[in-house]
Amino acid sequence: MTLSPSVLSVPMAPGVLPRCAEARCVVRSNLPVNGEYRLLTLDAPPEVLDCQPGQFFQLLCPEPEGEHPFLRRPMSIYGYDAEAGQLQFLYKVAGAGTRGLATLRPGGMLNVLGPLGQGFSMPQHWQDLLLVARGVGLATLAPLARAAQRSGRRLTAICSARRPELAMSVDLFRGYGAEVIVVHDEDGSSTPEALRGLIEARIAAGRVDAFYTCGSSRLLRLLQDLGQRHGIPGEIAMEQQMACGLGMCQACVRPFREEGGIVQRRVCREGPVFPLLEAIA
Amino acid sequence: MSAADLSVRLGAMTLANPIMPASGTFSEDLADVFDLDLLGAHVLKTIMRGTRAGNPVPRVCDLQGGMLNAIGIPSKGIEDFRSRMLPYWQGYRAPLVVSISAHTLDEFARLCAEVSLPGVAAIEANISCPNIEADGNAFAMRPDTTAEVMRRLRAETDLPLWAKLTPNTGEPVAVAQAAEANGADALVTANTALGMAIDVRTRRPRLGNGMGGMSGPAVKPIALRMTYQCARACTIPVIGCGGIATLDDVLEFLIAGASAVQVGTATFQSPTVMARLVAELGDWMQAQGLASLSEIIGSVEMPEGEAA
């Protein structure tokens, strides 16, 4: 029997559209990308494919041998294509959940909940965009790069990695018309000091309207400092351990700076994308 | 859509069906996923009088068959409840159950009076949260403190008053009877079981609070046992809560003596689960040819020698 993607249909209140849906997706492929990452491609129903760059899904991961992940695992969207009916996740095998994902074979089933959270914004006056991320954090910025190209923005992507061959998604960003700069630990080009010089030169040339980043505390601190010095706004996609992913359980809070003090916000609901200057590393 | 009559009585209240959320696992955010008026009642996350930040992260921890949490009741306080939450929930037909808690008897009594407002159908007294006092201490750990707090709360409200009990007590029946004798209109069995998990590499607890409450399928037998014990020993209705995720789980609690059930952690795995359970329960009733759930509530057949 061939399985087909489907949504778990439940009644909505009259006039209310579901913000997200729980769906059964069919695994199209689940392939190693380089030594550390795997790319999962799913056939997904249209109800879950109206996504925004920066949003995420909650994946009900299968149980790997000898382990029993219980809660869903949040995973940022690497790619979505409503026309092709496809959803993609790029992941690093790191724990019980992602070890479970690695066991998925083509034709297998994965239950996903999403799309969830608030994605990146891209105001019209942000024309020159600088994306800076490291490792799997680059995956989160991939849909943003595609949206930027479609709306005619100029795009630079600084891809940081331990070694040059581990830099993620370089070809993908180039495909979206980005100028790609690979920095890495082996030649010291990925240190905050080196990046500061690189980014300040571009700011001096008037080529940065906004920063986008994901994950790394070091990069956040650097971009916040540059943003404050030069009056450049930006956004960051953040992570926190989650349970429900919808906002009910209040597990995934982080502190943020607001006028009047520090506030706790839920990464799953108010985020995962936040204004760069409000985030706390 | 099922035509079966799923209504249940909880003292003076009648619920359209016995499925409701467990406090702490439910908020307006779920309205984006299904029609919340499908539920028998709405049970809100516990509020406290003042504002409260909650516990440090990590606040949850993933385990085999369940999870630990030590959220710590972050609360925006009574004013936020009155001005924002209550008007929102009044937009639904399902009865609204407000969960309250406090550190002291005076604060608890005052909050109970303050939330006794039009639009509130019942008050669930959370006298059993394991995460706000050291070592999981709570009013519902002992019969005497349970009696004292319920007496104070009873004096402050004419609304149906539910007592949420804890599986951490060694005297569940005496605590349940103390709640009933001091004015509880229903019992909720039960809150989370105090637990712990340690990361062996760092030797640190896996929760920011050190200890936390265990929930999920792994605690279901404990909650079911307590539901049975309390239903047998008390005359007021009992609401089962603990690890309920499937239709069979719902039926088990009803057969053990619960008049209704609360679903919590299962919603984290599948946010549509409560809507499905309502539909499945209706289909089951029709298939069984049952006219009323009262035909199965408390219908457990114990082995000889066990008082049922």
Side-chain angles (χ1 to χ4, degrees):
Chain A
M1 194 183 78
T2 312
L3 302 166
S4 57
S6 62
V7 67
L8 277 75
S9 179
V10 283
M12 291 299 294
V16 178
L17 285 175
R19 179 170 64 96
C20 58
E22 191 178 343
R24 294 192 190 94
C25 298
V26 180
V27 178
R28 179 166 282 258
S29 61
N30 186 19
L31 301 166
V33 174
N34 57 26
E36 294 189 320
Y37 301 96
R38 297 179 75 94
L39 176 62
L40 176 64
T41 303
L42 304 172
D43 287 325
E47 290 88 344
V48 301
L49 287 171
D50 185 13
C51 306
Q52 299 296 317
Q55 286 189 302
F56 70 100
F57 275 79
Q58 283 270 73
L59 310 183
L60 197 57
C61 301
E63 297 196 343
E65 179 84 34
E67 292 181 289
H68 309 276
F70 179 78
L71 296 167
R72 286 173 184 265
R73 298 300 198 266
M75 184 77 66
S76 63
I77 303 166
Y78 184 61
Y80 59 93
D81 187 332
E83 255 168 54
Q86 285 192 4
L87 190 58
Q88 288 185 311
F89 299 98
L90 185 72
Y91 63 100
K92 185 174 182 171
V93 178
T98 45
R99 273 192 289 277
L101 288 182
T103 67
L104 288 168
R105 297 287 173 263
M109 203 61 119
L110 180 68
N111 178 306
V112 308
L113 170 69
L116 297 168
Q118 315 297 324
F120 293 105
S121 66
M122 208 187 290
Q124 199 52 42
H125 59 284
W126 294 5
Q127 284 294 321
D128 257 303
L129 311 182
L130 179 65
L131 281 50
V132 191
R134 183 173 167 88
V136 82
L138 288 159
T140 306
L141 302 182
L144 174 74
R146 190 179 70 157
Q149 183 195 33
R150 288 187 170 181
S151 63
R153 314 297 168 105
R154 285 177 298 279
L155 196 59
T156 305
I158 300 179
C159 302
S160 173
R162 280 190 289 121
R163 298 194 303 275
E165 70 273 17
L166 292 177
M168 295 305 303
S169 308
V170 167
D171 293 338
L172 188 79
F173 285 122
R174 286 207 178 103
Y176 294 140
E179 178 192 345
V180 177
I181 302 168
V182 175
V183 297
H184 56 93
D185 301 355
E186 289 193 337
D187 70 355
S189 57
S190 62
T191 64
E193 300 70 38
L195 283 174
R196 177 183 293 276
L198 180 67
I199 296 169
E200 281 193 319
R202 303 183 76 83
I203 294 170
R207 291 174 59 192
V208 184
D209 293 337
F211 298 125
Y212 290 96
T213 188
C214 176
S216 157
S217 298
R218 257 182 7 162
L219 289 178
L220 170 60
R221 277 192 289 266
L222 172 67
L223 294 178
Q224 282 181 330
D225 183 56
L226 289 170
Q228 268 173 332
R229 282 167 195 266
H230 302 282
I232 296 171
E235 292 184 332
I236 179 168
M238 303 195 86
E239 296 180 340
Q240 184 61 281
Q241 193 190 29
M242 292 182 188
C244 75
L246 286 166
M248 300 175 289
C249 72
Q250 314 226 22
C252 65
V253 295
R254 292 185 70 110
F256 290 86
R257 278 184 214 98
E258 233 177 42
E259 251 180 78
I262 303 287
V263 294
Q264 302 283 327
R265 295 184 196 152
R266 298 166 297 182
V267 170
C268 74
R269 191 66 158 114
E270 283 81 47
V273 175
F274 297 95
L276 192 68
L277 289 178
E278 294 176 11
I280 295 175
Chain B
M1 205 63 193
S2 166
D5 177 11
L6 297 180
S7 66
V8 290
R9 291 194 51 86
L10 287 177
M13 294 172 77
T14 301
L15 307 186
N17 69 69
I19 310 292
M20 67 181 95
S23 177
T25 65
F26 183 71
S27 69
E28 61 264 43
D29 303 289
L30 202 59
D32 296 340
V33 183
F34 69 88
D35 180 0
L36 299 185
D37 265 333
L38 294 172
L39 298 171
H42 295 159
V43 186
L44 304 189
K45 184 166 175 69
T46 299
I47 59 169
M48 297 179 81
R49 277 205 80 244
T51 57
R52 198 180 140 85
N55 283 328
V57 295
R59 289 178 167 186
V60 291
C61 155
D62 190 77
L63 297 169
Q64 180 171 358
M67 62 180 285
L68 286 172
N69 88 78
I71 306 290
I73 314 189
S75 172
K76 290 183 177 164
I78 178 67
E79 205 34 62
D80 181 71
F81 170 74
R82 272 194 292 242
S83 62
R84 189 183 60 86
M85 293 180 75
L86 184 57
Y88 172 82
W89 290 103
Q90 281 177 316
Y92 290 94
R93 291 187 303 275
L96 180 66
V97 182
V98 178
S99 171
I100 59 170
S101 192
H103 289 284
T104 67
L105 289 169
D106 288 342
E107 287 265 310
F108 224 140
R110 193 168 163 198
L111 182 56
C112 185
E114 285 169 332
V115 300
S116 296
L117 297 166
V120 177
I123 294 172
E124 180 177 281
N126 181 359
I127 56 174
S128 50
C129 179
N131 292 331
I132 59 173
E133 302 272 2
D135 291 315
N137 197 17
F139 290 107
M141 290 294 283
R142 291 182 304 280
D144 59 341
T145 45
T146 300
E148 202 176 4
V149 70
M150 293 311 293
R151 190 163 54 238
R152 289 290 302 272
L153 298 181
R154 181 72 283 167
E156 300 291 342
T157 189
D158 295 324
L159 290 172
L161 183 60
W162 301 356
K164 188 162 181 179
L165 305 185
T166 173
N168 301 323
T169 176
E171 314 166 76
V173 170
V175 167
Q177 288 171 332
E180 176 171 23
N182 288 278
D185 295 298
L187 305 172
V188 182
T189 52
N191 212 315
T192 53
L194 187 64
M196 190 174 182
I198 295 171
D199 182 324
V200 295
R201 288 172 301 109
T202 62
R203 301 194 188 186
R204 287 189 181 147
R206 289 174 60 194
L207 290 173
N209 192 48
M211 291 178 266
M214 179 79 192
S215 63
V219 303
K220 196 191 82 179
I222 297 168
L224 186 71
R225 175 269 298 171
M226 200 169 152
T227 298
Y228 167 72
Q229 287 178 307
C230 293
R232 186 176 62 173
C234 298
T235 60
I236 52 176
V238 176
I239 300 162
C241 177
I244 296 169
T246 67
L247 175 62
D248 274 4
D249 295 338
V250 173
L251 296 174
E252 260 191 285
F253 276 84
L254 296 180
I255 292 166
S259 297
V261 295
Q262 296 185 345
V263 178
T265 302
T267 295
F268 296 169
Q269 274 201 330
S270 173
T272 55
V273 66
M274 287 189 285
R276 288 202 309 277
L277 289 174
V278 173
E280 288 173 14
L281 186 59
D283 292 346
W284 183 85
M285 291 272 290
Q286 284 195 316
Q288 297 289 310
L290 293 179
S292 165
L293 284 171
S294 61
E295 293 179 49
I296 63 158
I297 290 169
S299 64
V300 61
E301 297 196 22
M302 296 301 283
E304 268 180 59
E306 274 291 317

